[in-house]
Amino acid sequence: MTKEPGSTRPRPRNVKPESSSSKFASGIETDTRSTKSSSSSASARTAKATISYHHRSAIPYCPLATTAFIAFLFVRLFAALLSNIADCDEVFNYWEPTHYLQYGYGMQTWEYSPTYAIKSWAYIQLHALIGNAFNFLFNHDKVKVFYAIRVIFAVICSICETLFYRSAVNNLGPRVGRYLILTMLISAGMWNASIAYLPSTFAMYTTMIAFFYALKPVSTTSGGRIYRTIFWVGLGSLLAWPFSAAVGIPAAIEELIPLVLIDYIFYKKFTIVSLNIVMYNAFGGKDKSPDSYATEPWHFYILNGFLNFNFLFFMALISIPGLILTYLVDPGRISSTSTAGPIYAYLYLAFRLMPFYLWLFIIIIQPHKEERFLFVIYPLICLNSAVALFLIRGWFDRTLVFLSDGHLPYSRARRYCMKLLTTFIIVICGTISFAHIAALYFHYGAPMTIYKHFYYVEIPSQIAARQLQVDLLNNPINLCIGKEWYRFPSHYFLPEGVRLRFLKSDFNRQLPKYFLEKTYVDSNNKTKLSAEREGTWTIQEGFNNYNLEEVDRYCDYIIDLEMDYTRTVSDNAYEESYITQTDQWSEVICRPFLDAENSNSITRAFYLPPIAWQKLKQFISYLPARLTNNSVTFNTLGNLKWGDYCLLRRKNDTELIDVEKDWTVIPKIRLYVENWYWKYINL
């Protein structure tokens, strides 16, 4: 073993100094001490790019694939067990059709009507098969089936992330790979998207696998790279979400340029067949009427990106401008062993950073904007921010050299300063992400708690105490929801024999309705659900009409949210305050739910204990008024308003005394954390 100059770190004998140190293609980073280039080595290789870093240590540490997978899986499993369902589209367009295939009943939206047929049953059937296996394993416990499917999402996402990470290490260098794994692990966006049952999440999985190949250099001897890239992009676009194909366009263009030039020489015309296929996939699923849905301003995704990735999102935005700046002020930081010259390394990297910008541009110009549309590029946000962090580190290094007038050697102190910078950025971004994840859990987690109590405690205890004979078809228990319909977590959280009903509310758009159910009479003269699923092809009428008059008189239970600070007669013309109707309804269980409209915007987005907000507010009060501009947002830091998210039972002569509020359910962690939080922290 030999020691590198100025360092006590040993270096293996087989690592030779080169003029370029961090290789995209091989993932090897070595120190730079010689000004000679390895021309013979370059001529023997195919076109490869190299990140060069002036006077860096030997090979930077980055986790092995096995270690990375364990880290990813650990975080994603927690997300699967603790995350809320943030999007009602996930429930009614994916969980509910899956429940219908598994159990024979569930809510149908207009997208699944054969008249429109804009949702694929192939995607749903794939998940229903997984659910059926777990349904047998867990003895028809639907809540456990729900979480088991989520666990499968966590495993799949972890595998895809590991492949994506290893490709970054091998092709962009260990240092970029190390930053990539950290950004993916700490980002709130990846936490939310990784276990969502949405086509955009599935497209995110396939995008990561596609980039496992797309990050590799263009090969002059094999077309396997582009074929595999297009296959995985195409799989995500055709099976899940057509628009996701746009992320494969840069890789296709890069690969096609040599082919197009050669074909032009022979055919005297441009032939870009593969590009046509990609373009067809990218625009084949165009929404016919985006203006009929919620529209948002162009900066919606900028704000959303900051919420889910905080400063990492802005670093991703500056990745290509930063690449251009690096080329102008420090061109040697990224060099190439390719005979095409140093410019190849920058073009190589630019093509791999470009899909993030392309996808962001496509969705920004669309009037209809939703958070889940960004899921496809969440891993690419992490990739671009990791490269940007590498570039920032280089700028910082050159600044140190400049400030020392060129007399600062590559010493341990200089390396320590750079490590301190990157550690500071990662810690700050990770802390903010954790605060956002905690805010989502504590501020909006009441629905999951209430529905699990209903499933595991309320219905079993009522059936046992009253000796009820519950029958889904002939004698169901009706659970009614009004304005809280969009927080319903699917029929996986309703016991067998419970029907969902809708109360009239101020929401005046079309609501889902049950799929058509086929029944038969068995040998005991009991009506049962048939195994056939005719609802998948039978056209139902009335998806644009309501039939909810006086449905509340048939409700056995109501789940409702009472906001003490927002209710007015004019604003809630059709919404009764069921919680206050104590003569008709009794409270079974209530949990606090954040009144976001009347809470401080910063405090509701990022969780800190109340005492921390008080200290921060006190610190801000000492600042000059011109810095805060007497902002209401800063003056009200820590102010949160709460409502009550409640399960209500209709009163009758045989009403039971309140049942025990604890229960055994996957995951127990959620219950323990909630009880601890409300008892000790949020006093």
Side-chain angles (χ1 to χ4, degrees):
M1 302 289 286
T2 59
K3 292 183 179 180
E4 59 176 306
S7 172
T8 58
R9 182 182 299 181
R11 186 178 63 205
R13 294 183 181 274
N14 59 346
V15 177
K16 299 179 180 180
E18 298 180 6
S19 59
S20 301
S21 58
S22 171
K23 299 185 178 178
F24 275 108
S26 63
I28 298 176
E29 298 191 23
T30 57
D31 189 23
T32 292
R33 295 294 177 267
S34 173
T35 58
K36 298 179 182 180
S37 63
S38 181
S39 59
S40 61
S41 176
S43 61
R45 299 189 182 109
T46 58
K48 294 182 180 181
T50 304
I51 289 183
S52 175
Y53 179 33
H54 298 295
H55 309 297
R56 68 169 52 145
S57 58
I59 301 177
Y61 169 78
C62 61
L64 298 174
T66 304
T67 305
F69 174 75
I70 293 173
F72 284 130
L73 185 61
F74 178 79
V75 175
R76 302 306 170 225
L77 286 177
F78 268 94
L81 299 178
L82 300 179
S83 289
N84 307 317
I85 299 180
D87 195 332
C88 61
D89 187 70
E90 179 180 353
V91 171
F92 291 108
N93 273 332
Y94 302 100
W95 284 113
E96 283 296 288
T98 305
H99 186 279
Y100 173 67
L101 291 187
Q102 279 195 256
Y103 302 101
Y105 63 100
M107 307 303 290
Q108 180 182 11
T109 63
W110 67 271
E111 291 95 330
Y112 284 93
S113 171
T115 304
Y116 308 102
I118 65 171
K119 298 292 183 182
S120 172
W121 280 104
Y123 180 64
I124 301 300
Q125 178 63 33
L126 178 65
H127 295 79
L129 292 174
I130 298 173
N132 285 333
F134 286 116
N135 188 56
F136 174 79
L137 181 65
F138 293 128
N139 194 27
H140 308 293
D141 187 324
K142 294 195 292 182
V143 172
K144 291 181 180 178
V145 171
F146 172 88
Y147 282 107
I149 294 175
R150 271 193 166 190
V151 166
I152 294 298
F153 293 158
V155 174
I156 294 174
C157 186
S158 300
I159 294 173
C160 296
E161 287 177 299
T162 303
L163 293 174
F164 183 49
Y165 158 72
R166 286 308 303 171
S167 185
V169 171
N170 293 333
N171 299 290
L172 303 182
R175 208 176 287 276
V176 172
R178 184 171 63 187
Y179 301 154
L180 176 63
I181 187 175
L182 289 174
T183 56
M184 288 196 292
L185 286 173
I186 67 174
S187 70
M190 289 298 297
W191 169 279
N192 295 327
S194 61
I195 48 80
Y197 185 5
L198 289 167
S200 49
T201 291
F202 184 84
M204 182 184 77
Y205 299 159
T206 58
T207 297
M208 285 190 283
I209 301 178
F211 269 73
F212 172 75
Y213 299 103
L215 290 179
K216 297 179 180 180
V218 176
S219 174
T220 57
T221 59
S222 172
R225 168 189 172 273
I226 190 60
Y227 297 148
R228 292 183 178 94
T229 300
I230 292 178
F231 169 80
W232 286 104
V233 171
L235 179 64
S237 64
L238 293 176
L239 183 58
W241 205 25
F243 298 102
S244 66
V247 299
I249 292 177
I253 292 176
E254 181 190 20
E255 193 83 28
L256 284 168
I257 287 175
L259 300 178
V260 169
L261 293 177
I262 294 174
D263 287 339
Y264 181 78
I265 294 174
F266 286 95
Y267 294 107
K268 305 302 180 184
K269 66 177 183 179
F270 291 104
T271 304
I272 47 176
V273 177
S274 298
L275 182 59
N276 289 337
I277 296 175
V278 175
M279 294 296 291
Y280 170 79
N281 289 334
F283 301 103
K286 183 179 179 182
D287 195 336
K288 294 181 179 180
S289 55
D291 292 338
S292 63
Y293 298 92
T295 59
E296 300 290 347
W298 69 269
H299 52 77
F300 172 82
Y301 289 120
I302 305 300
L303 297 176
N304 188 270
F306 178 78
L307 272 179
N308 286 297
F309 291 91
N310 52 81
F311 297 107
L312 295 177
F313 184 76
F314 295 125
M315 290 170 61
L317 288 174
I318 68 168
S319 55
I320 285 187
L323 192 65
I324 297 173
L325 178 63
T326 300
Y327 178 73
L328 295 176
V329 302
D330 187 16
R333 180 162 177 78
I334 302 176
S335 61
S336 175
T337 58
S338 169
T339 55
I343 190 64
Y344 171 78
Y346 285 87
L347 292 176
Y348 166 91
L349 189 52
F351 269 102
R352 283 144 186 83
L353 299 177
M354 197 179 301
F356 161 70
Y357 294 92
L358 178 62
W359 182 252
L360 188 62
F361 171 76
I362 289 175
I363 60 176
I364 279 180
I365 64 176
Q366 303 300 318
H368 180 208
K369 297 179 176 66
E370 296 191 41
E371 177 184 345
R372 66 179 186 272
F373 294 171
L374 269 180
F375 285 7
V376 175
I377 58 167
Y378 273 5
L380 304 187
I381 293 174
C382 296
L383 175 66
N384 284 42
S385 63
V387 172
L389 181 57
F390 180 87
L391 299 176
I392 292 171
R393 192 181 156 102
W395 304 339
F396 182 68
D397 182 35
R398 287 191 63 83
T399 301
L400 290 178
V401 175
F402 175 79
L403 293 177
S404 67
D405 197 22
H407 298 295
L408 182 65
Y410 187 65
S411 62
R412 180 177 298 176
R414 186 168 149 198
R415 290 198 303 272
Y416 176 79
C417 289
M418 289 186 290
K419 289 181 179 179
L420 188 63
L421 172 69
T422 52
T423 301
F424 174 78
I425 293 174
I426 292 296
V427 169
I428 290 296
C429 293
T431 301
I432 296 175
S433 285
F434 179 79
H436 183 55
I437 292 170
L440 295 176
Y441 179 86
F442 289 120
H443 296 166
Y444 307 105
M448 303 294 278
T449 302
I450 297 299
Y451 278 98
K452 282 186 285 188
H453 181 94
F454 181 71
Y455 188 102
Y456 283 105
V457 178
E458 177 62 20
I459 294 303
S461 63
Q462 294 291 319
I463 291 176
R466 301 186 188 184
Q467 297 183 345
L468 299 177
Q469 297 295 322
V470 178
D471 185 341
L472 181 70
L473 298 177
N474 302 311
N475 185 33
I477 293 175
N478 292 319
L479 171 67
C480 297
I481 52 178
K483 61 181 180 292
E484 287 302 298
W485 67 269
Y486 62 95
R487 292 193 179 100
F488 172 59
S490 82
H491 274 79
Y492 285 93
F493 289 80
L494 297 188
E496 295 290 344
V498 177
R499 285 287 191 183
L500 181 69
R501 307 296 184 189
F502 291 112
L503 297 168
K504 182 64 179 176
S505 69
D506 287 337
F507 179 76
N508 58 2
R509 303 289 183 92
Q510 63 173 323
L511 287 166
K513 61 189 299 185
Y514 275 104
F515 284 96
L516 290 178
E517 300 164 5
K518 185 175 182 179
T519 61
Y520 70 96
V521 179
D522 66 6
S523 57
N524 296 322
N525 202 30
K526 291 184 178 180
T527 304
K528 293 187 176 181
L529 286 172
S530 170
E532 297 183 34
R533 302 293 183 257
E534 291 186 353
T536 60
W537 64 81
T538 304
I539 298 176
Q540 286 200 83
E541 301 295 335
F543 270 110
N544 292 309
N545 298 322
Y546 288 97
N547 187 26
L548 302 174
E549 290 82 0
E550 300 180 317
V551 70
D552 57 318
R553 70 176 58 178
Y554 303 110
C555 296
D556 300 292
Y557 291 89
I558 289 179
I559 287 182
D560 199 23
L561 173 65
E562 179 70 15
M563 291 294 193
D564 298 333
Y565 306 94
T566 59
R567 177 170 293 280
T568 63
V569 175
S570 59
D571 292 340
N572 306 102
Y574 297 101
E575 297 173 359
E576 298 184 44
S577 179
Y578 299 102
I579 294 177
T580 62
Q581 297 175 3
T582 55
D583 59 327
Q584 300 180 46
W585 302 97
S586 60
E587 174 188 319
V588 177
I589 180 176
C590 289
R591 284 290 184 269
F593 191 89
L594 188 70
D595 183 353
E597 183 179 350
N598 293 284
S599 296
N600 179 271
S601 58
I602 297 177
T603 310
R604 76 187 186 212
F606 304 100
Y607 171 79
L608 285 177
I611 189 172
W613 286 117
Q614 294 173 11
K615 296 293 184 182
L616 182 59
K617 186 177 178 180
Q618 183 179 7
F619 170 77
I620 293 176
S621 67
Y622 294 131
L623 298 176
R626 65 178 181 274
L627 296 180
T628 60
N629 198 26
N630 292 322
S631 170
V632 175
T633 301
F634 286 107
N635 292 334
T636 59
L637 273 177
N639 291 3
L640 295 177
K641 303 295 185 181
W642 297 90
D644 294 312
Y645 204 95
C646 295
L647 171 64
L648 308 176
R649 184 196 309 125
R650 177 176 289 282
K651 285 190 172 181
N652 55 49
D653 296 336
T654 59
E655 181 181 5
L656 292 176
I657 299 175
D658 284 345
V659 295
E660 187 66 29
K661 307 237 172 166
D662 247 351
W663 70 90
T664 301
V665 62
I666 294 178
K668 290 182 179 180
I669 293 176
R670 184 175 189 115
L671 178 63
Y672 295 154
V673 171
E674 284 178 350
N675 289 343
W676 174 79
Y677 170 74
W678 293 113
K679 186 175 182 180
Y680 298 107
I681 299 300
N682 206 53
L683 299 177

